[in-house]
């Protein structure tokens, strides 16, 4: 029986929950509605949870409120995909419900679950029932119903899990696309797995206790990669990092104050914290400025000259060096992309910065924030190019305190069309309108392969089949890449289409792509066809029809 949970026990519960989900994430991934190789709900939730754990491990007080607040902050910065962002909002709401309690009981947990659901719903512009949101709401409401008569936390969580699984089984009736694919909601399943991991710890099942390994990836917490250099090149000798616990809202003003003391400056704020990274010769003066705003935590100072090293924030924390000699740019465009050819194409269309990612590799909120902070521009435009990255982009925008504008491109084809419509000489409103108009007009589709047997919209699909898909449906199923592609274009073409862009991936050679063009030219002699080497993974072809 557990009547109270303190900070130490809560840390262990969270780590065990993460471990349980991580071990079972492929079960969640397999619940993707489309049987394409990008089912990443379980992976995104696991990586988001890993980021939460990384931050929780820094808490040294036996205080449940501080532990859950750390989980909230860590999950926000590391959130990946829509499921990860929603999970971070659930943590945020749970933290609100716990408030400042050092120990939590069943009634507090029930209230926190209800607050978690309410916060997550507010974060989504158009909440959809039959998703993780529904599971969170039902669990929170049910917990509130029973908490007055259930003091044992173990019993409370066990009953909530039973209720949550009953609701999960009904999600196909709430969301027709789940019923067609004969699956339950992946995000809801992932949330219940986190609860199941927590319960098994509370019940003393040692098989699920986290086995910490030095080989386990520390995803999303700041990874500091060092490279030896000549110390004569080091202008500012101390790499200084810390967190300020504060309600101070003027992030830009504080960033400006610190810019006097050094370079490689990163200042971001969220949920009552400000995170700072700076290379400086006066770390003491920087810390004094920070103390004026609030309490300091996680202070880390490296003497780079003494160690003959400079901390380079590359893949996970790219070094921020805004050239103060250059005037502020009017625009800075950030695009999510993967594949050398696609990256070069976006750069040729005036994209300033590429965030590597896309299907199966959704960038986190922190990845997007780093790209935003790297800019020296009045207006920052972000192209997510994936529906599963939109929510993370929006959250990064909310946290950044910069002039950020999201053009809601849901795929690569839309992103390319948006950039074709972009004109750096035009005013912001006109550009945003033109880019939004462009993505609304383009028809996009992809060719990939099925990762499982299923039946969808009357089509029997076997594992390994080649499938032609749009964002909403699987239109063609077959065995040959070019044959499926040809049939897919036939289904999509109409009298208004005059240009077809074919982007071929890393698993298609140019000869095969040119053979497809010949097939299409014989059927559509007035169609202008452009061929682009994209080198993208997963998708043999990406099509853009305009």
């Amino acid at each position: 029986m557990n009547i109270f949970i303190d900070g130490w026990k809560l840390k262990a519960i969270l780590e065990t929950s993460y471990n349980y989900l991580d071990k079972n994430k492929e079960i969640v991934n397999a619940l993707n509605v489309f049987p394409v190789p990008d089912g990443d709900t379980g992976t995104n939730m696991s990586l988001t949870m890993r980021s939460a754990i990384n931050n929780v491990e820094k808490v040294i007080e036996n205080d449940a409120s501080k532990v859950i607040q750390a989980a909230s902050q860590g999950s926000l910065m590391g959130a990946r995909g829509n499921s990860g962002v929603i999970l971070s909002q659930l943590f945020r709401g749970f933290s609100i419900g716990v408030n400042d309690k050092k120990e939590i009981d069943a009634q507090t947990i029930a209230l926190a679950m209800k607050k978690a659901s309410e916060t997550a719903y507010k974060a989504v512009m158009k909440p959809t029932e039959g998703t993780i949101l529904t599971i969170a709401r039902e669990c929170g409401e049910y917990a509130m119903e029973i908490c007055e008569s259930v003091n044992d936390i173990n019993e409370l969580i066990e009953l909530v899990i039973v209720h949550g699984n009953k609701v999960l089984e009904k999600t196909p009736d709430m969301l027709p696309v789940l019923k067609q694919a004969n699956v339950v909601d992946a995000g809801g399943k992932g949330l219940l797995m986190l609860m199941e991991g927590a319960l098994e710890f509370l019940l003393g099942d040692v098989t699920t206790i986290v086995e910490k390994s030095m080989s386990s990836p520390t995803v999303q917490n700041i990874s500091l990669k060092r490279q030896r250099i000549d110390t004569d090149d080091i202008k500012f000798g101390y790499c200084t990092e810390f967190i300020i616990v504060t309600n101070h809202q003027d992030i830009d003003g504080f960033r400006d104050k610190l810019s006097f003391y050094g370079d490689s400056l990163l200042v971001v704020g969220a949920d009552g914290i400000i995170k700072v990274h700076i290379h400086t010769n006066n770390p003491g003066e920087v810390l004094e400025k920070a103390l004026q705003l609030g309490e300091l935590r996680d202070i880390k100072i490296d003497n780079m000259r003494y160690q003959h090293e400079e901390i380079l924030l590359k893949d996970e924390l790219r070094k921020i060096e805004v050239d103060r000699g250059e005037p502020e740019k009017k625009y800075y465009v950030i695009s999510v992309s993967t594949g050398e050819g696609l990256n070069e194409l976006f750069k040729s269309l005036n994209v300033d910065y590429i965030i590597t990612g896309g299907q199966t590799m959704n960038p986190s909120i922190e990845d997007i924030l780093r790209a935003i902070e790297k800019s020296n521009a009045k207006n920052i435009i972000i192209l997510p190019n994936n529906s599963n990255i939109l929510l993370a982009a929006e959250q990064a925008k909310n946290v950044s305190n910069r002039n950020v504008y999201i053009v809601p491109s849901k795929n690569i084809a839309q992103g390319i069309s948006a950039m074709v419509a972009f004109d750096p000489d035009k005013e912001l409103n006109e550009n945003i309108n033109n880019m939004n108009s462009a993505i609304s007009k383009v028809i996009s589709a992809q060719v990939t392969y099925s990762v499982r047997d299923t039946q969808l919209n009357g089509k029997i699909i076997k594992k390994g089949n080649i499938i032609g898909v749009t964002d909403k449906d699987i239109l063609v199923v077959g065995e040959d890449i070019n044959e499926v592609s040809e049939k897919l274009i036939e289904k999509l073409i109409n009298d208004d289409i005059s240009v077809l862009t074919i982007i071929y991936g890393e698993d298609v050679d140019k000869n095969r792509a040119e053979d497809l063009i010949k097939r299409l030219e014989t059927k559509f002699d007035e169609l202008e066809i452009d061929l682009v080497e994209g080198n993208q993974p997963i998708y043999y072809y990406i099509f853009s029809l305009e």
Side-chain angles (χ1 to χ4, degrees):
M1 176 179 289
N2 279 286
I3 304 300
F4 292 100
I5 291 176
D6 61 13
W8 299 145
K9 184 173 287 188
L10 183 57
K11 287 177 74 172
I13 289 170
L14 290 171
E15 291 203 27
T16 309
S17 294
Y18 157 70
N19 188 60
Y20 187 85
L21 174 62
D22 189 58
K23 287 181 178 179
N24 295 284
K25 63 189 175 188
E26 291 306 325
I27 295 174
V28 179
N29 287 342
L31 296 174
N32 189 31
V33 172
F34 280 6
V36 297
D38 65 357
D40 48 12
T41 298
T43 300
N44 282 339
M45 293 183 73
S46 174
L47 292 176
T48 301
M49 194 68 188
R50 178 67 258 176
S51 184
I53 297 304
N54 288 337
N55 211 40
V56 163
E57 288 172 349
K58 300 174 185 177
V59 178
I60 59 175
E61 300 98 330
N62 185 12
D63 186 327
S65 68
K66 293 189 185 306
V67 169
I68 200 65
Q69 184 180 51
S72 171
Q73 294 163 351
S75 64
L76 174 64
M77 299 304 287
R80 292 175 182 261
N82 293 342
S83 58
V85 173
I86 292 173
L87 180 59
S88 76
Q89 296 306 299
L90 290 171
F91 270 120
R92 184 180 181 187
F94 199 94
S95 179
I96 293 171
V98 170
N99 197 3
D100 59 355
K101 294 185 178 180
K102 292 186 177 182
E103 291 185 331
I104 55 178
D105 56 14
Q107 287 73 34
T108 303
I109 290 173
L111 176 62
M113 292 177 70
K114 185 173 183 294
K115 291 291 185 182
S117 168
E118 292 171 353
T119 303
Y121 265 89
K122 290 177 183 177
V124 180
M125 186 172 296
K126 294 181 180 179
T128 301
E129 295 303 324
T131 65
I132 183 175
L133 292 172
T134 303
I135 303 302
R137 189 194 71 246
E138 287 278 351
C139 288
E141 291 176 352
Y142 185 71
M144 289 296 292
E145 288 178 14
I146 65 174
C147 67
E148 292 301 325
S149 59
V150 178
N151 293 321
D152 180 10
I153 294 173
N154 298 13
E155 183 181 357
L156 176 80
I157 295 176
E158 186 171 12
L159 290 171
V160 168
I161 290 172
V162 171
H163 178 75
N165 275 306
K166 290 179 180 178
V167 177
L168 182 68
E169 292 302 316
K170 297 177 182 178
T171 55
D173 297 324
M174 304 178 200
L175 204 55
V177 68
L178 296 176
K179 197 175 193 70
Q180 291 179 22
N182 195 30
V183 294
V184 296
D185 178 67
K189 179 66 174 178
L191 180 60
L192 288 170
M193 280 187 170
L194 289 173
M195 294 185 195
E196 288 165 5
L199 180 62
E200 291 204 11
F201 175 85
L202 290 169
L203 295 176
D205 186 343
V206 296
T207 62
T208 60
I209 302 299
V210 173
E211 296 177 1
K212 291 190 177 181
S213 169
M214 294 301 292
S215 63
S216 298
T218 54
V219 181
Q220 286 309 303
N221 70 322
I222 298 179
S223 176
L224 303 176
K225 301 186 178 180
R226 301 171 183 259
Q227 176 176 318
R228 300 187 69 83
I229 61 169
D230 186 340
T231 57
D232 291 340
D233 294 335
I234 301 177
K235 183 178 179 181
F236 298 101
Y238 295 91
C239 177
T240 304
E241 296 179 90
F242 54 89
I243 287 174
I244 313 170
V245 180
T246 177
N247 293 321
H248 187 74
Q249 300 296 319
D250 187 8
I251 308 298
D252 290 338
F254 184 61
R255 185 187 297 111
D256 291 341
K257 287 182 181 179
L258 293 190
S259 65
F260 174 78
Y261 293 97
D263 65 7
S264 296
L265 177 62
L266 171 64
V267 181
V268 295
D271 282 348
I273 65 168
I274 297 177
K275 194 173 189 177
V276 177
H277 170 278
I278 186 173
H279 291 176
T280 180
N281 287 329
N282 301 288
E285 292 184 29
V286 171
L287 293 175
E288 286 181 9
K289 291 289 183 185
L291 277 169
Q292 295 174 11
L293 303 188
E295 176 188 347
L296 302 189
R297 294 184 182 174
D298 301 334
I299 300 171
K300 186 175 185 294
I301 302 174
D302 283 323
N303 185 330
M304 296 184 290
R305 292 190 182 96
Y306 180 78
Q307 297 175 350
H308 294 270
E309 296 175 330
E310 178 182 15
I311 293 178
L312 299 177
L313 305 178
K314 289 183 177 178
D315 293 335
E316 294 175 331
L317 179 56
R318 294 177 175 84
K319 188 177 179 181
I320 299 168
E321 291 181 337
V322 175
D323 186 352
R324 297 179 181 86
E326 293 183 1
E328 183 181 57
K329 293 175 59 177
K330 185 175 182 179
Y331 293 109
Y332 190 85
V333 183
I334 299 168
S335 177
V336 179
S337 173
T338 182
E340 183 179 347
L342 281 175
N343 294 347
E344 290 304 316
L345 176 59
F346 275 116
K347 289 176 182 177
S348 72
L349 294 172
N350 290 311
V351 166
D352 297 283
Y353 191 88
I354 299 291
I355 299 176
T356 300
Q359 300 289 36
T360 74
M361 193 170 50
N362 297 155
S364 68
I365 291 174
E366 191 169 17
D367 292 331
I368 300 171
L369 273 173
R370 287 166 182 158
I372 292 171
E373 291 300 320
K374 187 177 177 68
S375 70
N376 181 29
K378 182 179 181 181
N379 304 303
I380 302 165
I381 298 174
I382 300 179
L383 296 166
N385 298 334
N386 188 300
S387 58
N388 206 31
I389 301 174
L390 275 171
L391 197 53
E394 289 289 350
Q395 290 296 317
K397 171 186 173 180
N398 294 339
V399 171
S400 71
N401 292 314
R402 300 287 297 275
N403 294 324
V404 178
Y405 303 88
I406 311 295
V407 175
S409 51
K410 295 182 178 180
N411 52 59
I412 289 293
Q414 289 185 351
I416 292 171
S417 294
M419 286 311 302
V420 170
F422 173 73
D423 185 341
D425 294 325
K426 290 183 177 178
E427 293 304 309
L428 176 65
N429 287 341
E430 186 175 1
N431 264 321
I432 296 297
N433 289 337
N434 290 344
M435 295 171 83
N436 283 327
S437 177
I439 67 175
S440 69
K441 293 176 182 177
V442 66
I443 298 175
S444 59
Q446 304 85 33
V447 173
T448 184
Y449 59 92
S450 173
V451 295
R452 70 169 191 271
D453 294 348
T454 189
Q455 186 169 336
L456 196 64
N457 290 336
K459 297 180 180 65
I460 298 175
I461 303 167
K462 298 294 183 182
K463 181 178 180 179
N465 278 164
I466 306 300
I467 50 179
V469 304
T470 63
D471 289 337
K472 298 180 179 179
D473 198 5
I474 296 175
L475 299 183
V476 183
V477 180
E479 303 293 336
D480 180 81
I481 295 171
N482 279 5
E483 285 182 6
V484 168
S485 300
E486 184 180 355
K487 292 177 181 177
L488 179 62
I489 297 301
E490 287 177 355
K491 288 181 176 291
L492 296 174
I493 205 79
N494 61 55
D495 293 338
D496 295 327
I497 301 297
S498 59
V499 179
L500 167 64
T501 301
I502 301 175
I503 304 169
Y504 64 98
E506 62 184 6
D507 294 322
V508 174
D509 60 41
K510 190 174 183 180
N511 290 335
R512 186 194 290 264
E514 289 176 341
D515 175 65
L516 176 60
I517 290 178
K518 291 176 183 178
R519 289 173 178 240
L520 295 173
E521 285 178 338
T522 60
K523 292 188 175 183
F524 311 106
D525 53 1
E526 295 184 0
L527 186 65
E528 178 185 337
I529 303 177
D530 297 324
L531 184 64
V532 176
E533 182 181 10
N535 307 112
Q536 72 272 6
I538 299 178
Y539 294 112
Y540 301 119
Y541 293 116
I542 296 173
F543 299 118
S544 173
L545 298 90
E546 299 178 84

